[in-house]
């Protein structure tokens, strides 16, 4: 790994639109905080900062959250040195014009980063840091650079705080669970952060009939709403489906990003969705099942397969992911193969820890071209 300490301290403007599920703002907040942890000054511009009130209530030194409105007058705002356009959010033309004027007046090089979505597919390596000249609009003549988070040294890496491993080693699982009021003794703990997987019904039946008692820790939002509806329907149609009470449920409050990490560290198996939670589950080093965001054109299937290939996943983990993600609609949900899955994730985690984190690679890219 390279030395993560930055060579220069710069001012960064990160722009983020909240589309749905708060995944984008979660990633951008972690990136902003990571950059600040490495000595950078960051403004995070977002059109909806509401989720940060529970996601990151303590804020972060070096990060300022700015409200991004459609009709803003950016003329009085001095741009930073680096402009990050997260996930194709299309920065306001007025700000781009101010940035172009700012760097031209000072003779500075353009650092306009197009931060892309995470993928294990080969294009992430091929397209990482490629230049994209801007031909029209207020930024005409400037050059964007694509920046791809990823799972290999040829990409931008993954978000990872400098103190992550230290915090993980000091985590008191028993106290954290007890403080939340979770009955955890002699139970397999499973976190559930999902959309609405059709296979959840089958998972409930599997856990209810298992010889190992399980407690499902259900996150707030869509997972909770879907579970409530499913449980009510099962109770109505098949009242004895959980007659031995081998499966219990605990509904979690909205968790800060720190406590979401704690949840993943505390559980024996983690069901996660989207990109940010996938990365956090990898760092947790526990068996995981990923529900990828479904796309109408089916592109998510290739993205999932690339990730499973990266893991060198065994058949049981591949089959479970395929059914969980609705790619085999008529197939039965396979049994949990915890020992094999644990080994797979641990091996992947060890490799990923040898690579630089996303914030460090961003700083290095800008520093070497500054």
């Amino acid at each position: 790994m390279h030395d993560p300490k930055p060579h220069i301290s710069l001012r960064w403007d990160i722009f983020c639109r909240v589309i749905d599920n708060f995944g984008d703002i979660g990633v951008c907040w972690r990136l902003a905080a990571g950059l600040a942890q490495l000595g950078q000054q960051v403004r995070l511009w977002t059109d909806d900062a509401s989720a940060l009130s529970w996601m990151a209530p303590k804020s972060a030194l070096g990060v300022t959250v700015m409200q991004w409105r459609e009709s803003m007058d950016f003329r009085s705002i001095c741009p930073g040195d680096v402009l990050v356009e997260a996930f194709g959010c299309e920065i306001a033309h007025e700000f781009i014009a101010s940035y172009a004027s700012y760097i031209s007046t000072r003779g500075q090089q353009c650092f306009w980063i197009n931060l892309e979505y995470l993928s294990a597919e080969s294009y992430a390596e091929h397209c990482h840091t490629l230049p994209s000249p801007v031909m029209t609009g207020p930024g005409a003549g400037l050059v964007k650079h694509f920046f791809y988070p990823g799972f290999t040294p040829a990409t931008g890496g993954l978000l990872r705080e400098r103190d992550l491993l230290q915090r993980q080693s000091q985590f008191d699982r028993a106290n954290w669970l007890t403080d939340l009021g979770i009955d955890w003794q002699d139970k397999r703990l499973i976190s559930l952060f999902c959309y609405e997987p059709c296979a959840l019904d089958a998972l409930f039946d599997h856990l209810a009939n298992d010889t190992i008692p399980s407690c499902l820790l259900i996150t707030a939002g869509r997972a909770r709403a879907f579970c409530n509806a499913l449980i009510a329907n099962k109770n109505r149609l098949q009242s004895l489906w959980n007659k031995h009470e081998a499966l219990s449920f605990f509904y979690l409050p909205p968790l800060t990003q720190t406590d979401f990490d704690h949840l993943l560290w505390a559980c024996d198996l983690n069901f996660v969705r989207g990109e940010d939670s996938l990365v956090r589950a990898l760092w947790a080093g526990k068996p995981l099942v990923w529900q990828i965001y479904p796309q109408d054109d089916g592109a998510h299937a290739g993205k999932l397969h690339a990730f499973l290939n990266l893991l060198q996943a065994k058949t049981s983990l591949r089959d479970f992911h395929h059914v969980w993600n609705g790619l085999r609609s008529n197939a039965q949900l396979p049994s949990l193969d915890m020992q094999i899955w644990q080994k797979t994730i641990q091996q992947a985690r060890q490799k990923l820890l040898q690579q630089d984190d996303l914030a460090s690679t961003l700083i290095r890219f800008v520093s070497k071209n500054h």
Side-chain angles (χ1 to χ4, degrees):
M1 295 175 60
H2 296 92
D3 182 0
K5 294 175 64 177
H7 298 290
I8 54 175
S9 180
L10 299 171
R11 295 177 302 113
W12 300 63
D13 285 301
I14 301 176
F15 281 79
C16 172
R17 288 192 187 277
V18 176
I19 307 300
D20 59 4
N21 304 316
F22 303 110
D24 290 354
I25 188 64
V27 170
C28 288
W29 174 260
R30 286 194 192 274
L31 175 60
L35 289 168
Q37 194 177 43
L38 294 173
Q40 309 299 296
Q41 294 295 313
V42 185
R43 288 185 298 201
L44 175 56
W45 298 84
T46 179
D47 59 341
D48 183 1
S50 60
L52 295 179
S53 63
W54 52 266
M55 190 182 292
K58 294 184 179 180
S59 68
L61 185 65
V63 179
T64 303
V65 178
M66 306 291 290
Q67 185 177 8
W68 179 15
R69 299 186 305 273
E70 288 295 333
S71 56
M72 287 188 67
D73 185 358
F74 287 102
R75 290 174 296 182
S76 61
I77 298 172
C78 180
D81 305 295
V82 186
L83 185 57
V84 178
E85 187 173 29
F87 316 123
C89 64
E90 297 186 5
I91 300 172
H93 284 185
E94 293 79 7
F95 193 90
I96 295 173
S98 294
Y99 180 71
S101 174
Y102 175 80
I103 61 175
S104 174
T105 301
R106 289 160 179 76
Q108 293 183 199
Q109 186 171 342
C110 173
F111 292 109
W112 183 352
I113 306 295
N114 191 339
L115 182 66
E116 295 290 340
Y117 286 104
L118 174 65
S119 179
E121 293 172 288
S122 59
Y123 70 77
E125 290 187 341
H126 300 154
C127 299
H128 181 55
T129 70
L130 285 182
S132 176
V134 179
M135 308 302 294
T136 61
L142 301 182
V143 177
K144 295 185 188 182
H145 281 87
F146 293 105
F147 214 88
Y148 280 82
F151 302 92
T152 70
T155 67
L158 303 174
L159 286 167
R160 185 180 75 244
E161 302 79 34
R162 297 179 71 179
D163 61 346
L164 176 66
L165 298 183
Q166 179 184 359
R167 290 191 295 111
Q168 200 167 1
S169 67
Q170 296 173 349
F171 175 60
D172 191 326
R173 178 179 186 264
N175 280 349
W176 188 81
L177 292 167
T178 300
D179 287 346
L180 278 176
I182 297 172
D183 179 15
W184 58 277
Q185 298 284 1
D186 301 320
K187 291 183 180 179
R188 175 174 53 195
L189 298 185
I190 303 174
S191 71
L192 183 65
F193 181 51
C194 64
Y195 301 115
E196 292 82 18
C198 294
L200 185 59
D201 193 325
L203 178 65
F204 280 5
D205 287 339
H206 173 83
L207 296 175
N209 290 289
D210 203 343
T211 56
I212 303 174
S214 296
C215 181
L216 204 58
L217 306 184
I218 303 169
T219 55
R222 289 175 66 168
R224 177 170 185 159
F226 190 57
C227 284
N228 279 338
L230 181 57
I231 292 169
N233 189 57
K234 292 179 75 67
N235 289 340
R236 179 174 60 86
L237 298 177
Q238 190 183 356
S239 59
L240 298 180
W241 71 276
N242 191 24
K243 63 180 179 180
H244 300 298
E245 298 184 346
L247 175 59
S248 57
F249 304 91
F250 187 90
Y251 293 98
L252 295 159
L255 299 175
T256 65
Q257 287 188 331
T258 298
D259 270 328
F260 186 75
D261 282 344
H262 292 164
L263 170 67
L264 301 178
W265 301 346
C267 286
D268 303 295
L269 171 63
N270 293 308
F271 285 84
V272 292
R273 75 180 201 208
E275 297 178 9
D276 184 54
S277 63
L278 170 63
V279 175
R280 308 317 294 185
L282 284 169
W283 296 143
K286 304 293 185 68
L288 69 87
V289 176
W290 180 34
Q291 186 179 15
I292 191 169
Y293 190 82
Q295 295 175 270
D296 293 336
D297 60 0
H300 60 288
K303 191 172 183 178
L304 177 62
H305 292 155
F307 173 68
L308 293 172
N309 289 340
L310 175 95
L311 292 183
Q312 298 182 323
K314 302 300 183 184
T315 300
S316 63
L317 188 57
R318 288 180 185 273
D319 288 348
F320 200 102
H321 271 87
H322 291 159
V323 178
W324 187 250
N325 282 277
L327 301 181
R328 294 183 186 172
S329 57
N330 296 322
Q332 290 187 340
L333 190 70
S335 299
L336 304 178
D337 195 351
M338 301 283 283
Q339 187 173 357
I340 294 296
W341 297 0
Q342 173 83 42
K343 183 178 180 180
T344 298
I345 299 305
Q346 284 283 357
Q347 289 175 341
R349 179 180 181 270
Q350 286 304 114
K351 289 181 180 179
L352 292 170
L353 284 172
Q354 302 307 309
Q355 301 171 20
D356 283 329
D357 66 278
L358 180 59
S360 293
T361 57
L362 266 169
I363 294 172
R364 186 172 302 107
F365 174 74
V366 172
S367 297
K368 73 178 183 180
N369 293 291
H370 192 268

